[in-house]
């Protein structure tokens, strides 16, 4: 069997906020390619499990797995929690982030209310960004 791979974060001991501090990112792996995780951020959860009071070896094992498998994490960046799903050992940016969500952007989620209406995303054509089209 192949050795497990991670998401490319170098972790430090637990911080006063209860998470584990991210010291650095491994160039070319999911965390680096996500453009959403930075040195100094805190890792708070891995696949729904709080990292608080767990040894670093356990947390490293949780973030590791078969290449291409998914892992859901919650990090704290600049005081705001972010939930994202990454692929372990990703080969390129298009394969690194499965989904990303800033938790405080969706206050309706906790209340059970419907999400706010969305606009049509910008269209791409020949590599150029075109403005969003109105919903009809």
């Amino acid at each position: 069997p192949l050795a497990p791979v991670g998401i490319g974060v170098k972790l430090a001991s637990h911080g006063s906020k209860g998470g584990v501090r991210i010291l650095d990112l491994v160039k070319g792996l999911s965390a680096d390619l996500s453009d959403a995780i930075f040195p100094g951020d805190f890792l708070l959860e891995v696949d729904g499990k709080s990292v608080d009071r767990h040894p670093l070896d356990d947390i490293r094992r949780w973030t590791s797995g078969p290449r291409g498998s998914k892992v859901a994490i919650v990090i704290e960046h600049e005081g705001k929690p972010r939930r994202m799903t990454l692929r372990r050992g990703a080969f390129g940016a298009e394969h690194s982030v499965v989904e990303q969500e800033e938790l405080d952007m969706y206050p309706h989620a906790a209340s059970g209310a419907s999400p706010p209406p969305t606009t049509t995303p910008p269209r791409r054509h020949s590599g150029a960004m075109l403005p969003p089209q109105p919903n009809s």
Side-chain angles (χ1 to χ4, degrees), residues 48-109:
K49 295 182 278 194
S50 171
V51 301
D52 195 27
R53 298 191 183 102
H54 287 278
L56 287 178
D57 286 342
D58 286 353
I59 298 163
R60 287 184 188 107
R61 197 168 36 257
W62 296 347
T63 60
S64 298
R67 183 176 298 280
S69 62
K70 298 175 187 177
V71 61
I73 63 170
V74 176
I75 63 154
E76 182 180 294
H77 175 73
E78 296 180 351
K80 295 182 181 179
R82 290 183 176 175
R83 180 182 314 276
M84 63 191 74
T85 303
L86 302 175
R87 289 196 187 274
R88 294 174 173 108
F91 292 102
E94 67 277 11
H95 301 292
S96 63
V97 178
V98 177
E99 59 186 307
Q100 179 178 325
E101 172 183 330
E102 285 197 42
L103 299 181
D104 61 347
M105 287 178 54
Y106 303 97
H108 64 277

Side-chain angles (χ1 to χ4, degrees), residues 3-32:
V5 294
I7 56 173
V9 291
K10 294 181 181 177
L11 302 174
S13 61
H14 292 63
S16 60
K17 297 181 180 187
V20 174
R21 197 161 86 85
I22 297 171
L23 285 179
D24 204 1
L25 308 176
V26 178
K27 187 169 175 63
L29 289 183
S30 297
D32 174 50

